[in-house]
Amino acid sequence: SSGINAEYGEDGQYIGQMGYIRSVSGPISTVWLYEEEREFECQAFQMKPVVPRKQDKVVIITGNRRGNHGQLINIDNDDGIVKADKSLELRILKLDSLAKLSAHHA
């Protein structure tokens, strides 16, 4: 999903580097690497979403609400309490279904 912070998780010179996903086209992700200050293309599965923390802007990355945005209000074990951007509803979602939105996301 574009606009999320992610970590490159494969072998090679970029392993462990953080960036944000600029675009996804089929199996290819275009990622801006913060440390390198440049774009990088890789297989989408090579990027791991950054687990959000309390007060982070988030996007839902799984399930029927995939793509919806909100703010992570609180964390309770493996669950996140998210205030939806559009409806302002509070939703309880599994943390692994959320990704931290990049500050660069439009």
Side-chain angles (χ1 to χ4, degrees), residues 45-88:
F45 72 85
Q46 294 174 305
M47 299 304 297
K48 298 177 189 170
V50 171
V51 177
R53 292 191 246 178
K54 190 175 171 180
Q55 301 303 320
D56 282 345
K57 296 291 285 175
V58 297
V59 62
I60 301 169
I61 57 173
T62 62
N64 62 350
R65 290 193 168 102
R66 182 180 177 171
N68 288 351
H69 296 183
Q71 183 173 18
L72 185 59
I73 301 300
N74 208 349
I75 297 173
D76 183 16
N77 297 318
D78 294 336
D79 294 327
I81 300 168
V82 176
K83 183 177 180 182
D85 277 354
K86 291 183 181 177
S87 67
L88 304 180

Side-chain angles (χ1 to χ4, degrees), residues 24-29 42-45:
V24 179
S25 180
I28 303 296
S29 288
C42 64
Q43 298 287 318
F45 72 85

Side-chain angles (χ1 to χ4, degrees), residues 16-44:
Q17 285 202 33
M18 303 296 288
Y20 75 95
I21 299 174
R22 283 190 159 173
S23 65
V24 179
S25 180
I28 303 296
S29 288
T30 302
V31 179
W32 178 261
L33 294 174
Y34 296 124
E35 189 175 319
E36 300 286 323
E37 295 185 340
R38 71 177 196 89
E39 276 190 357
F40 169 70
E41 285 189 347
C42 64
Q43 298 287 318

